Amino acid sequence: MRDAARELADLQAHDDLVARIYADHLPGEIRELALALAWIRLRDPARHAPDADSSLTRAARLLGCDETGRWRHKLGFAADAPRYEPGREHHLRSGVTCQGPRIRPYRPRGSAPATATATATASTPPNTALVCGGQATIGVEEHDLATGHIVALHAFCRRHREDADRVLHQVAARGEPLDPPIPNTGGWLPRYFTAKPLERLYRWARPGWARPDAGLCRDDWLTGDVRFLPRHQRLALVVTAEEVPSAPAPLNSHNNARSTPSRS
């Protein structure tokens, strides 16, 4: 009778946890890992066996590898490792143009026939942007002081270095932003599982990762308007991983390279 009651409790806990995972709209690889761990901890028939492997080893067998041979459970932990990643619009990449003032007045290139001048002028208005528009090579980042997040990137070319220095001094006069910044990526799994084992797993899946001061769970992070993200009830299941798991024999393990956003 006691075993039946325990199985019923695990069944109800599993259904509740799965419903919460789907309601949170997690990124694909993290959702896949969360669902696998929920099954392994609450529904897997082998979980009560005296010689059962750790939940992480069973997750490796359950999820297997992707089409490139990388372990799917490792990719999930690497994706969920809490960290700050600036948006693509805040990278000084190819195609970003200079915001400095136009140095020379605008003059259309080429010449048009005299009879077509009036028509061309009426149909093609002159460039009124009054900005340089050249290829930017200097980036000045503007940060939210409370979170350390980049909120704007001011881009300049080499001819507008003085303008870049002026903006840099104005940004610096606002004060020092939080360093390191509060994470904006990952932190989903601590909503459902205890954080202590996850910290070790994050280091294993993403070499060089360090625990952020703001904590592992995204519920504890400040947003840009200095408020906490909405809190969620935590079931706090334990992911057992006494050691870094070995891969099952038929599959090959590949390390997941750390992705570090480039900052100018």
Side-chain angles (χ1 to χ4, degrees):
M1 182 65 67
R2 182 175 57 184
D3 290 342
R6 179 180 177 182
E7 289 295 327
L8 179 59
D10 285 351
L11 175 61
Q12 293 174 338
H14 176 265
D15 291 347
D16 292 342
L17 180 56
V18 168
R20 288 172 50 207
I21 291 171
Y22 278 115
D24 277 347
H25 302 290
L26 279 66
E29 64 270 31
I30 301 175
R31 181 179 64 244
E32 180 182 57
L33 176 59
L35 292 172
L37 293 174
W39 167 263
I40 288 168
R41 296 298 299 163
L42 295 171
R43 297 297 298 146
D44 184 6
R47 69 189 186 281
H48 299 312
D51 58 345
D53 292 323
S54 70
S55 57
L56 197 63
T57 300
R58 286 182 284 153
R61 293 196 184 100
L62 181 63
L63 297 178
C65 293
D66 66 4
E67 62 277 3
T68 64
R70 297 177 298 177
W71 288 100
R72 302 175 76 94
H73 74 303
K74 188 173 185 179
L75 294 175
F77 284 116
D80 193 62
R83 62 201 182 279
Y84 173 64
E85 291 187 352
R88 187 174 184 273
E89 68 276 11
H90 296 147
H91 288 285
L92 191 64
R93 62 191 186 279
S94 176
V96 175
T97 57
C98 176
Q99 303 171 0
R102 183 180 294 278
I103 296 177
R104 298 184 182 88
Y106 172 79
R107 290 192 180 91
R109 294 181 179 180
S111 58
T115 55
T117 302
T119 304
T121 302
S123 60
T124 308
N127 185 347
T128 58
L130 300 181
V131 295
C132 173
Q135 176 63 42
T137 58
I138 305 171
V140 179
E141 298 174 352
E142 185 175 349
H143 297 257
D144 182 287
L145 300 184
T147 63
H149 296 179
I150 302 175
V151 295
L153 177 69
H154 307 282
F156 301 92
C157 66
R158 290 177 299 175
R159 295 186 300 174
H160 288 95
R161 183 175 296 276
E162 292 184 0
D163 295 274
D165 291 340
R166 174 176 52 81
V167 174
L168 180 62
H169 293 153
Q170 292 175 348
V171 170
R174 299 173 59 239
E176 289 294 326
L178 184 66
D179 186 28
I182 291 175
N184 65 348
T185 303
W188 295 100
L189 292 178
R191 282 184 170 179
Y192 323 111
F193 309 100
T194 53
K196 188 173 182 181
L198 289 174
E199 184 174 347
R200 184 177 181 181
L201 294 170
Y202 290 148
R203 289 196 180 97
W204 164 69
R206 184 176 283 273
W209 176 86
R211 179 190 176 95
D213 296 336
L216 297 182
C217 184
R218 63 187 301 112
D219 293 342
D220 299 329
W221 303 342
L222 290 172
T223 62
D225 56 1
V226 199
R227 291 185 299 180
F228 286 99
L229 291 170
R231 284 195 168 272
H232 287 65
Q233 182 182 3
R234 300 180 194 174
L235 186 61
L237 293 176
V238 178
V239 180
T240 58
E242 292 77 13
E243 350 183 301
V244 172
S246 299
L251 302 175
N252 295 322
S253 176
H254 293 266
N255 289 332
N256 184 51
R258 183 187 181 193
S259 173
T260 303
S262 59
R263 299 178 62 180
S264 302

